[in-house]
Amino acid sequence: MNIQSKKEEVFFYKANTRKKLFIIFSGICICIVSFLMEVMIGASGMTIPEIFKALFQPTSVDKISRVIIWQMRLPVAVMGIVVGASLGLSGAVMQTILNNPLASPYTLGLSAGAGFGASIALTIGLGALTILGNFLVPMFAFVFSLIACLGIYTISKKKRFTSGIMVLAGIGMVFFFEAGQSFLQYLASPEELSNIVFWTFGSLAKAKWSNVAIITVVFLFAFVFVFTKSWKMTAMSIGDERAKSMGINVERLRMGMFIVISLLTATAVAFVGSIGFVGIVGPHIARILLGEDQRFFIPMSALGGAAILSIASVISKIVVPGAVFPIGILTSLIGVPVFFALILRKR
């Protein structure tokens, strides 16, 4: 009887694992479909056969078609997937290590710090420089996002990196940097103000292969680092005391994860601006579908974030054809109803 019971447990475990892997595979398929739609939809008037020919046989099409696909649409499509995955992964890890369903790069002040840094660069005119302007604005955003991380780290260190203190420190950073950004907007000229506002809305329009390469490398490093700690993360999700009883150094793990994810978030936000709700909604969808097992929860959160941002980018092209529509507005419009639905569902 005991042997039979064990066989049944193994059977149900394998069936449950196959189900979770199928859900993850479905998420990959959704991202691929959304990616292809991102590449195919645009105002150029190219037909689908012409688009696929430019993708797989670029030398057989004219130069304009190659530029449209390889220099305009593909970088935007890849950036949407990678940045969405980065925000989804960041939100998933932050929610786990802080044991707080509201934790995300947006709510902990990292996006606000990046917005403040970019606002400084734009206010003093660095964004208008011909060559350096494309790098200095993201660099300032990156530096100030890391300053926000350093502020949270310094405050949390006083209280042994407890989750409550880190959340409160993050909320303080949000108010501090948003106040600073409002002050800069008050001082800015009309032209500078329009640039600041557009950047803080979030946009994939300025994606370039160099930026895509940087964020992709950082994402892969962060994903591998987090995934190798998935067992410890699963233990942490059931409470600090239980994790400590299993021999896990909770404070050390929490701080290591926070540093890696902060670096990932700062890099992502530096190139596309502030994009809200992706880091909250993506992990919640993954949690509903797969539960707290981090081996499945982590990749699904990344896929969820990638799908949300990529689909939002596709919708923005359909809603305003031929125009550069700030993606951050659309993600918020999509994210808020989903967020409220999750709150009501969880009661």
Side-chain angles (χ1 to χ4, degrees), residues 23-331:
I23 292 174
I24 291 175
F25 176 74
S26 300
I28 294 173
C29 292
I30 291 172
C31 289
I32 292 174
V33 171
S34 178
F35 174 83
L36 292 175
M37 290 180 65
E38 176 82 21
V39 175
M40 289 188 289
I41 296 175
S44 64
M46 295 177 64
T47 63
I48 293 178
E50 289 173 343
I51 292 171
F52 277 95
K53 198 172 182 181
L55 275 173
F56 300 107
Q57 296 177 332
T59 55
S60 62
V61 298
D62 59 274
K63 184 178 180 181
I64 295 177
S65 298
R66 286 199 303 270
V67 170
I68 291 173
I69 297 299
W70 284 93
Q71 300 301 323
M72 298 175 66
R73 293 190 187 178
L74 268 179
V76 171
V78 177
M79 182 68 90
I81 293 290
V82 178
V83 170
S86 300
L87 296 177
L89 175 64
S90 300
V93 174
M94 287 182 176
Q95 289 173 20
T96 299
I97 65 175
L98 300 179
N99 195 23
N100 189 313
L102 294 178
S104 75
Y106 196 82
T107 57
L108 286 186
L110 306 185
S111 296
F116 178 69
S119 298
I120 291 177
L122 293 170
T123 302
I124 62 180
L126 296 180
L129 299 178
T130 306
I131 300 177
L132 292 178
N134 294 327
F135 298 97
L136 289 177
V137 175
M139 186 181 296
F140 269 67
F142 178 78
V143 168
F144 277 88
S145 185
L146 288 184
I147 289 174
C149 301
L150 181 62
I152 296 174
Y153 174 88
T154 303
I155 295 171
S156 302
K157 189 176 181 180
K158 303 290 184 181
K159 298 293 183 179
R160 297 180 58 84
F161 304 112
T162 59
S163 60
I165 292 298
M166 294 183 79
V167 171
L168 291 174
I171 293 172
M173 290 296 161
V174 172
F175 284 107
F176 175 76
F177 284 115
E178 284 186 351
Q181 187 171 329
S182 297
F183 179 70
L184 290 174
Q185 290 177 356
Y186 176 76
L187 296 178
S189 66
E191 182 179 355
E192 293 167 349
L193 179 61
S194 64
N195 290 331
I196 292 172
V197 171
F198 184 80
W199 195 92
T200 54
F201 284 158
S203 175
L204 301 172
K206 295 183 180 180
K208 297 180 179 179
W209 284 119
S210 57
N211 301 344
V212 171
I214 293 172
I215 183 59
T216 301
V217 170
V218 176
F219 168 74
L220 291 175
F221 164 75
F223 182 84
V224 171
F225 179 83
V226 171
F227 193 75
T228 56
K229 303 290 190 299
S230 57
W231 180 85
K232 294 181 179 180
M233 295 282 287
T234 302
M236 183 181 283
S237 67
I238 61 177
D240 286 5
E241 295 303 322
R242 290 189 180 182
K244 288 178 181 178
S245 69
M246 297 176 185
I248 299 172
N249 189 332
V250 173
E251 290 80 12
R252 182 178 178 182
L253 178 62
R254 179 175 286 129
M255 201 58 242
M257 287 292 174
F258 182 73
I259 291 173
V260 172
I261 295 304
S262 297
L263 176 65
L264 175 63
T265 303
T267 307
V269 175
F271 289 124
V272 301
S274 299
I275 297 178
F277 283 100
V278 175
I280 293 180
V281 177
H284 276 292
I285 294 174
R287 187 175 288 109
I288 291 170
L289 294 174
L290 299 176
E292 291 285 356
D293 189 337
Q294 302 290 310
R295 296 173 302 168
F296 306 103
F297 174 65
I298 289 170
M300 191 63 206
S301 296
L303 289 171
I308 290 170
L309 190 57
S310 182
I311 291 171
S313 182
V314 172
I315 294 174
S316 70
K317 287 185 175 183
I318 297 173
V319 172
V320 189
V324 180
F325 191 79
I327 195 70
I329 297 176
L330 199 56
T331 56

